[in-house]
Amino acid sequence: MRFIFIFALVLTMFVSCKKKSNPSIDNSTPRVVEPLDLKFATGFNIKEYGTHKTITVTSPWPKSKDTLNYVLLKPGQDYSPRTENTTVIKLPIKKVVVMSTTNIPALEYLNVDTTLVAFPNTKYISSAKTRARIDKGAIVDLNSDIDINMERLLELQPDLVIGFSVNGNHKTLNQIQKLGIPVVLDGAWTEAHPLGRAEWLKFIAAFYEKDILADSIFNGIVKNYTTAKALASNITKKPVVTSGSMFKDVWNIPGGHSFVAKYLKDAHTDYVWKNNTANGSLQLNFENVLEKAQNAELWIGAGAFKTKAQMLEQHTGYSYFNAFKTNTVYTYTKTVGAKGGLLYYELGPLRPDIILKDIINIAHPKLLKNYTNFFFKRLD
């Protein structure tokens, strides 16, 4: 009888110790919640519970009605998701795969770029630092984002895949998720405010416990942006500006509430389509644009052309615009990666302060002393 009692006591102690070493999270238990302070981003929120974090993404793609929930577990924690749209990610993240070049600068700024083990079509990456790791064979090329090399991905067994979705149809990402690899969606590109896009740095930082560093970096970007904006607001003359370019027979114009229009407004320019209410792109025909923007003084963001001759090869009608005639056409093709990728697409979303300064320098050339554009150049 005594032996049975001692055995039962030891068994109880063993079970108790086991539970303590691997506790589970009970959502019904009240906890102190510390929500992350977001200043501009509206598409996600983060809450810290001590044992874990939760990230809620409310804008994974434009006009999404889905809400995605991510639970970030600290070492030694367990969690059983109660909703279908909940993904559990176990920290720390030692190996990550990202699907967009816009995530590359975030990893570098947070000093976690060495965790990147693969990328779909590495030739699109422009960062010199990450390209050096690609050249050394430290980053695997996964073919393309619509035709991922699943076999190589499985061999790598990443802790996390950070993807994106244009319209909610993400077949490839669903396949990755079915393989048991956690997938999260970055919706930074859906933000209407340039600083809102940059603040998704905090989304990436949450997976690496780099919240304080991300906050510090973002505050510096905000300070640079607001200082430049305030400086431009003192200018009395606003140059009339147009933007966009043609693709086949359609001219894509930034809507009046788009992030591009926000740049043009904060740079203290008079954007031709400022009164339009679209927060995305407008699709117009050539005649519509010529009638409204022919006399614009500046043409900022004329696609990815590198010369005016290239523009005329696509459409001779570009020559009808005054900005073309007066050599005041600007594109974001000044900084190019080793493989021909534009750094504007990769670094721009994280550094709206640099983009704004470039535009201010174009619109008000004497305002920023000794400033040289980083992304934008005037076409010859």
Side-chain angles (χ1 to χ4, degrees):
M1 186 71 178
R2 184 179 180 185
F3 172 79
I4 294 174
F5 174 78
I6 292 174
F7 176 78
L9 180 62
V10 172
L11 181 63
T12 301
M13 291 174 65
F14 174 77
V15 173
S16 177
C17 289
K18 188 175 182 180
K19 285 184 178 178
K20 286 182 180 179
S21 64
N22 195 22
S24 62
I25 296 171
D26 181 5
N27 280 350
S28 64
T29 304
R31 282 180 170 80
V32 176
V33 181
E34 296 181 10
L36 186 73
D37 179 28
L38 296 175
K39 300 177 177 66
F40 294 90
T42 60
F44 77 103
N45 63 72
I46 301 176
K47 293 180 181 178
E48 169 68 61
Y49 289 84
T51 56
H52 66 289
K53 292 178 183 176
T54 62
I55 303 179
T56 303
V57 176
T58 55
S59 182
W61 56 84
K63 299 180 181 178
S64 170
K65 295 181 180 179
D66 292 347
T67 296
L68 306 180
N69 302 296
Y70 305 116
V71 177
L72 283 57
L73 293 182
K74 297 185 180 181
Q77 303 295 326
D78 281 333
Y79 181 84
S80 297
R82 298 184 180 184
T83 60
E84 189 175 323
N85 285 342
T86 297
T87 301
V88 177
I89 299 99
K90 293 184 177 181
L91 306 183
I93 302 299
K94 296 180 179 179
K95 293 188 292 184
V96 70
V97 173
V98 301
M99 307 293 279
S100 171
T101 58
T102 59
N103 294 135
I104 303 297
L107 296 177
E108 292 183 354
Y109 273 58
L110 295 170
N111 300 317
V112 293
D113 46 291
T114 55
T115 64
L116 181 66
V117 294
F119 186 86
N121 208 333
T122 55
K123 74 176 184 180
Y124 290 119
I125 295 177
S126 299
S127 163
K129 185 179 181 182
T130 299
R131 287 228 60 86
R133 294 191 64 235
I134 294 170
D135 295 339
K136 291 178 181 177
I139 300 174
V140 174
D141 193 309
L142 293 175
N143 192 34
S144 73
D145 57 350
I146 59 174
D147 187 22
I148 290 286
N149 187 327
M150 293 294 180
E151 186 176 342
R152 297 298 303 275
L153 186 67
L154 273 174
E155 290 174 359
L156 291 168
Q157 281 297 300
D159 303 305
L160 179 67
V161 170
I162 302 175
F164 65 94
S165 179
V166 176
N167 54 16
N169 183 12
H170 36 269
K171 182 179 178 181
T172 300
L173 296 178
N174 288 339
Q175 288 178 333
I176 295 173
Q177 189 94 25
K178 288 178 181 178
L179 294 175
I181 301 172
V183 175
V184 300
L185 294 186
D186 182 338
W189 68 284
T190 66
E191 298 283 348
H193 197 294
L195 288 171
R197 294 186 166 206
E199 196 163 17
W200 278 73
L201 173 68
K202 298 176 182 179
F203 173 83
I204 304 295
F207 298 97
Y208 290 95
E209 304 278 39
K210 294 275 189 175
D211 310 281
I212 295 175
L213 176 58
D215 196 53
S216 176
I217 293 169
F218 180 68
N219 287 341
I221 293 170
V222 172
K223 182 178 180 181
N224 290 341
Y225 190 100
T226 53
T227 299
K229 176 184 174 181
L231 187 63
S233 67
N234 294 321
I235 297 295
T236 54
K237 184 183 181 301
K238 293 183 179 181
V240 179
V241 175
T242 188
S243 188
S245 59
M246 296 195 72
F247 179 72
K248 295 183 179 179
D249 294 328
V250 177
W251 195 310
N252 294 288
I253 295 284
H257 286 183
S258 67
F259 72 96
V260 174
K262 180 62 176 172
Y263 279 127
L264 296 174
K265 179 180 179 181
D266 290 348
H268 211 59
T269 70
D270 185 11
Y271 180 44
V272 174
W273 277 271
K274 64 184 177 183
N275 294 325
N276 177 269
T277 59
N279 54 19
S281 294
L282 305 173
Q283 283 74 46
L284 305 176
N285 61 40
F286 178 83
E287 290 73 20
N288 292 149
V289 179
L290 181 64
E291 181 182 2
K292 196 174 180 72
Q294 183 176 12
N295 296 321
E297 300 166 71
L298 299 172
W299 187 345
I300 301 176
F305 296 108
K306 295 181 180 178
T307 65
K308 289 171 65 179
Q310 280 185 349
M311 294 181 70
L312 292 180
E313 286 177 12
Q314 188 201 64
H315 200 294
T316 57
Y318 287 142
S319 62
Y320 300 158
F321 291 82
N322 284 355
F324 190 95
K325 296 174 182 177
T326 57
N327 294 322
T328 53
V329 179
Y330 294 82
T331 64
Y332 32 75
T333 57
K334 183 177 181 181
T335 312
V336 182
K339 297 294 183 178
L342 298 180
L343 209 59
Y344 173 85
Y345 293 129
E346 184 171 304
L347 179 61
L350 182 60
R351 294 304 306 270
D353 53 326
I354 298 177
I355 294 177
L356 180 62
K357 285 183 178 181
D358 276 12
I359 296 174
I360 290 174
N361 197 43
I362 293 168
H364 316 291
K366 297 181 180 180
L367 192 58
L368 299 174
K369 305 298 182 182
N370 302 316
Y371 183 81
T372 301
N373 279 12
F374 184 80
F375 293 118
F376 285 83
K377 76 170 188 177
R378 184 176 63 81
L379 297 190
D380 296 321

